[in-house]
Amino acid sequence: MARKITIEPVTRVEGHGKVTIHLDDAGKVKQSRFHVVEFRGFERFVQGRPYWEAPVLVQRLCGICPVSHHLAAAKAMDVIVGVGPDKLTPTAEKMRRLMHYGQMFQSHALHFFHLASPDFLLGMDSDPALRNVIGLVALNKDLAVQAVLMRKFGQEVILATAGKKIHGTGAVPGGINKNLSPEERDQFLKGAPPLTIDQMIEWSLAAIELFKDYHSKNKDVVDGFAAFPSNHLSLVRKDGALDFYHGVLRAVDAEGRKILDDVDYKNYLDYIGEEVRSWSYMKFPYIKSLGKSAGWYRVGPLARLNTCDYIPSPLAQKAFEFYKAYTDGKPNNMSLHTHWARLIELLHSAEVIKELLLDKDLQGTKLVKKGKKVLEGVGLVEAPRGTLFHHYRINDDDQIAMANLIVSTTNNNEPMNRAVHWVAEKILSGKPEITEGMLNRVEVAIRAYDPCLSCATHALGRMPLEVVLRDSRGNILARKVR
Amino acid sequence: MIGFGNPGRRDDGLGPAAVERLSARSIPGVVCESDYQLGIEDALACARHDIVVFIDAARDLPTPFTFTEVRAAGAIPPMTHALTPEAVLAIAAELYDRRPDARLLAIRGHIWDIGEGLTAKAEKNLALALEFLEGFLKEPAP
């Protein structure tokens, strides 16, 4: 009998994701889809608001990465106030970078240790009741404690730069509204152990070794799971270095050939299109020169380490060289290597944070610049999950007239669908029984992208995982909720 | 006091709003924190205090607010970036062997659309909840 498998919502990702897999009478996969079932309409919400409010307003998009939205909007508003993306005062740019790399650090630490590592360290088929941080505590309590403290450290960096956790106001059009006091700086450099930057660097190095050790013992899974060729897109610094805060757009294909290079992101609409499909609220971006069917791409840690030429910090560069050698310098198209790339970025973030903390420009007092106002601005950053686009037009009354956002997870829409389809084809298709472990592999494939679909609205008890098996008429054959 | 919710989703901001108002009263011995959602680092905050009150918006409450005891989850539900109070307490117990006296102040919200500011009904519920909470804070510790 034909069946339909629904996983809703997907756990350990944000928002309301839903997976449907249709099986035919022989149990073979007919179709698989990863849907987004909530429409946000946030772009309309900001219309009519004064442009200078945008960096604060957009943080309400999501409770997971408010800093990314804050900075992308601020960069767009820098353009609107006539300062431009790379003409901030040294203090302003470095404070923003500190905020951004602090966010990258806490986000990557949370994702690897809290959300992804249970699948690796405890096993994809392990008891789902223990396949979480509690199971991790039983296995390696020190690691679980580290995860909390790394997250805490990054959050404190954000707090010191953005001013507060909710409604952070650090970045303003044309600059920043505070510098870093010597007391704040010293808290991170030589505060109460273990919450110091040197300890964070040490733990980041250990995390990479942990992954490499797992990889060496499980190469088939790590290399083969949901591996497929794709294009890759990110910002890179003008000289090709990895840069999360600013740069030019670069895209490479699965073999490393450059599709886009040195592209000024203010012209992104000339290069990036967005396809709408009837079955999902999330659009499907693509590189226009390759067309809708071939132009899809990945963003995020895996993509960034495929597009950049080098990493501008010594320990992460060393880790990057080892990582690149594994694919003979070619782009890495193995989905689970995203975690490896994420940990290298974790280390790089910690190194950059230390470099910034030692920079006296952070105690500077020139915080904001002004220029000649224009009516349109584009701001991009590399958010933890990938490239984030913010584009605004304002009217003569200084109100936002148009906003267009392409969030990281939207950029990864097609790759996530491909990853789900890979699992459906390779793991589920033709099997007489669908186990919990098999369904978890669908989620493992999605989780590699650390998707963030939410607007952070939450209510207690609203995030169960529901798996429903239906026949071809829609009748429920089996239902599991965990 | 840990208030959580998204002020960009109207009454979902009840938790942060409650904490903001409590914080302005500078009550001795009370530490106020707020965030969009609960995370693993809140387990550390729980481990460092004797009494923890989580404050959240709630749908479909029959009363303006409820104040209930919260216990560490026996089994942690599937994880997201955001945790439930029960999960935060479970992590505090596992990692730090600390089990604070924990309560959930759930305040009834009415509108959850994208937008700013609490509804008038939510404001009334918040005022009643804070009045109750101040009474609770004046009670001697057990």
Side-chain angles (χ1 to χ4, degrees):
Chain A
M1 182 180 288
R3 288 183 298 167
K4 174 182 170 186
I5 301 170
T6 305
I7 304 176
E8 181 187 12
V10 175
T11 56
R12 280 185 276 161
V13 303
E14 290 317 308
H16 296 244
K18 177 180 174 183
V19 173
T20 54
I21 300 169
H22 294 260
L23 305 179
D24 63 15
D25 291 345
K28 298 280 187 187
V29 172
K30 268 174 63 183
Q31 183 190 68
S32 66
R33 283 171 173 171
F34 174 51
H35 316 241
V36 168
V37 293
E38 182 180 1
F39 178 66
R40 288 200 295 224
F42 198 86
E43 282 112 327
R44 203 171 299 165
F45 166 60
V46 297
Q47 285 177 17
R49 303 297 292 260
Y51 71 82
W52 54 83
E53 287 185 359
V56 174
L57 280 178
V58 295
Q59 294 174 74
R60 285 82 180 274
L61 269 164
C62 173
I64 305 304
C65 46
V67 171
S68 301
H69 290 292
H70 180 55
L71 291 176
K75 286 182 72 178
M77 295 310 152
D78 293 341
V79 177
I80 283 177
V81 299
V83 175
D86 47 10
K87 293 174 188 159
L88 300 178
T89 68
T91 302
E93 178 170 335
K94 288 172 185 175
M95 281 294 286
R96 287 190 188 183
R97 282 183 177 273
L98 183 60
M99 188 193 307
H100 193 38
Y101 282 75
Q103 178 202 218
M104 195 69 81
F105 183 79
Q106 62 87 14
S107 178
H108 280 2
L110 176 75
H111 183 267
F112 180 72
F113 290 110
H114 186 53
L115 305 180
S117 73
D119 289 321
F120 295 124
L121 302 178
L122 301 161
M124 296 184 201
D125 293 304
S126 60
D127 181 355
L130 296 173
R131 199 172 55 226
N132 52 40
V133 72
I134 296 299
L136 196 59
V137 171
L139 186 73
N140 188 337
K141 188 171 181 177
D142 289 345
L143 203 62
V145 170
Q146 275 181 31
V148 173
L149 294 174
M150 291 171 89
R151 163 90 165 168
K152 175 83 175 164
F153 184 87
Q155 295 282 56
E156 293 298 325
V157 170
I158 293 170
L159 192 60
T161 49
K164 42 189 177 175
K165 281 186 181 174
I166 288 187
H167 303 166
T169 55
V172 296
I176 198 91
N177 72 358
K178 76 182 285 285
N179 64 8
L180 193 76
S181 70
E183 294 75 24
E184 288 170 323
R185 175 198 63 200
D186 291 347
Q187 166 200 341
F188 300 121
L189 283 174
K190 47 192 177 187
L195 286 173
T196 63
I197 188 59
D198 285 333
Q199 183 65 72
M200 298 302 129
I201 291 172
E202 190 177 312
W203 282 345
S204 301
L205 280 164
I208 294 174
E209 291 308 312
L210 178 76
F211 186 88
K212 282 163 64 179
D213 180 60
Y214 177 82
H215 181 212
S216 69
K217 295 169 184 162
N218 299 274
K219 285 199 174 179
D220 287 351
V221 174
V222 178
D223 293 356
F225 186 89
F228 50 84
S230 74
N231 305 311
H232 303 271
L233 178 138
S234 80
L235 288 177
V236 294
R237 206 165 71 184
K238 264 279 192 191
D239 66 352
L242 180 71
D243 196 314
F244 301 144
Y245 177 73
H246 190 58
V248 289
L249 277 174
R250 179 184 284 180
V252 300
D253 68 14
E255 295 299 317
R257 289 179 290 260
K258 289 190 175 80
I259 308 165
L260 304 176
D261 195 23
D262 203 23
V263 168
D264 186 335
Y265 61 67
K266 74 178 182 189
N267 302 317
Y268 76 101
L269 286 173
D270 294 338
Y271 300 92
I272 306 292
E274 289 184 277
E275 183 188 1
V276 176
R277 297 181 193 170
S278 60
W279 46 269
S280 181
Y281 279 117
M282 191 153 65
K283 293 177 182 174
F284 289 79
Y286 61 95
I287 297 167
K288 284 182 174 176
S289 62
L290 298 179
K292 290 177 184 174
S293 60
W296 59 276
Y297 53 83
R298 290 191 241 211
V299 299
L302 191 77
R304 285 191 285 256
L305 295 203
N306 284 333
T307 54
C308 76
D309 297 326
Y310 71 100
I311 298 181
S313 65
L315 296 174
Q317 170 63 18
K318 195 173 169 192
F320 177 66
E321 287 166 8
F322 185 88
Y323 168 88
K324 289 296 281 186
Y326 192 71
T327 53
D328 295 326
K330 293 279 189 184
N332 188 326
N333 291 290
M334 295 172 265
S335 294
L336 291 190
H337 284 225
T338 304
H339 299 298
W340 191 357
R342 186 174 283 116
L343 292 174
I344 294 171
E345 289 192 343
L346 176 81
L347 173 61
H348 174 58
S349 299
E351 287 186 283
V352 171
I353 289 169
K354 182 171 182 181
E355 185 185 320
L356 287 166
L357 289 171
L358 294 171
D359 192 325
K360 291 191 183 337
D361 279 343
L362 286 181
Q363 281 76 53
T365 53
K366 291 181 180 169
L367 304 182
V368 181
K369 282 171 77 173
K370 287 183 181 173
K372 191 173 186 310
K373 196 172 74 183
V374 297
L375 299 180
E376 187 167 1
V378 178
L380 260 70
V381 295
E382 282 298 322
R385 291 150 193 84
T387 318
L388 171 64
F389 297 67
H390 276 227
H391 179 190
Y392 302 91
R393 270 199 293 272
I394 65 168
N395 60 25
D396 292 332
D397 296 324
D398 288 342
Q399 295 167 323
I400 295 170
M402 185 284 296
N404 184 42
L405 277 57
I406 308 177
V407 304
S408 318
T409 297
T410 302
N411 284 308
N412 275 329
N413 198 356
E414 180 66 23
M416 286 190 291
N417 270 279
R418 300 253 171 175
V420 167
H421 192 69
W422 186 95
V423 176
E425 283 278 351
K426 307 285 186 191
I427 309 284
L428 303 179
S429 196
K431 300 294 192 301
E433 186 190 357
I434 306 298
T435 65
E436 191 279 336
M438 289 176 175
L439 292 175
N440 183 45
R441 282 167 172 76
V442 176
E443 298 181 66
V444 170
I446 298 169
R447 270 200 291 275
Y449 296 88
D450 193 17
C452 180
L453 309 171
S454 84
C455 328
T457 294
H458 58 277
L460 298 173
R462 287 186 65 222
M463 285 292 283
L465 171 65
E466 185 179 18
V467 181
V468 182
L469 298 178
R470 294 178 187 271
D471 65 19
S472 55
R473 293 179 180 175
N475 300 317
I476 294 177
L477 300 173
R479 182 171 177 268
K480 285 182 185 173
V481 178
R482 70 177 193 221
Chain B
M1 305 293 152
I2 305 178
F4 58 105
N6 184 350
R9 280 288 194 142
R10 300 298 307 269
D11 293 348
D12 194 39
L14 271 163
V19 160
E20 189 177 322
R21 291 172 203 193
L22 277 172
S23 188
R25 297 176 195 182
S26 301
I27 303 168
V30 173
V31 176
C32 294
E33 293 191 3
S34 63
D35 210 336
Y36 290 99
Q37 51 205 19
L38 298 174
I40 53 172
E41 68 278 13
D42 291 306
L44 189 57
C46 288
R48 289 174 174 170
H49 294 89
D50 301 313
I51 300 172
V52 177
V53 179
F54 297 98
I55 310 177
D56 190 16
R59 294 171 188 261
D60 305 324
L61 279 186
T63 54
F65 67 90
T66 58
F67 191 66
T68 52
E69 191 177 349
V70 193
R71 294 175 185 272
I76 287 213
M79 307 295 254
T80 71
H81 293 83
L83 298 175
T84 63
E86 291 86 351
V88 170
L89 292 169
I91 294 170
E94 290 287 336
L95 285 186
Y96 305 107
D97 198 23
R98 288 277 293 150
R99 293 167 181 77
D101 176 4
R103 315 294 174 98
L104 173 64
L105 179 62
I107 308 172
R108 185 179 177 184
H110 298 269
I111 302 289
W112 313 92
D113 295 340
I114 289 175
E116 291 187 299
L118 301 176
T119 60
K121 285 180 179 175
E123 283 282 2
K124 283 183 184 172
N125 296 341
L126 174 59
L128 291 168
L130 288 180
E131 188 181 328
F132 169 84
L133 192 58
E134 286 211 73
F136 170 77
L137 292 172
K138 286 175 187 166
E139 288 176 12

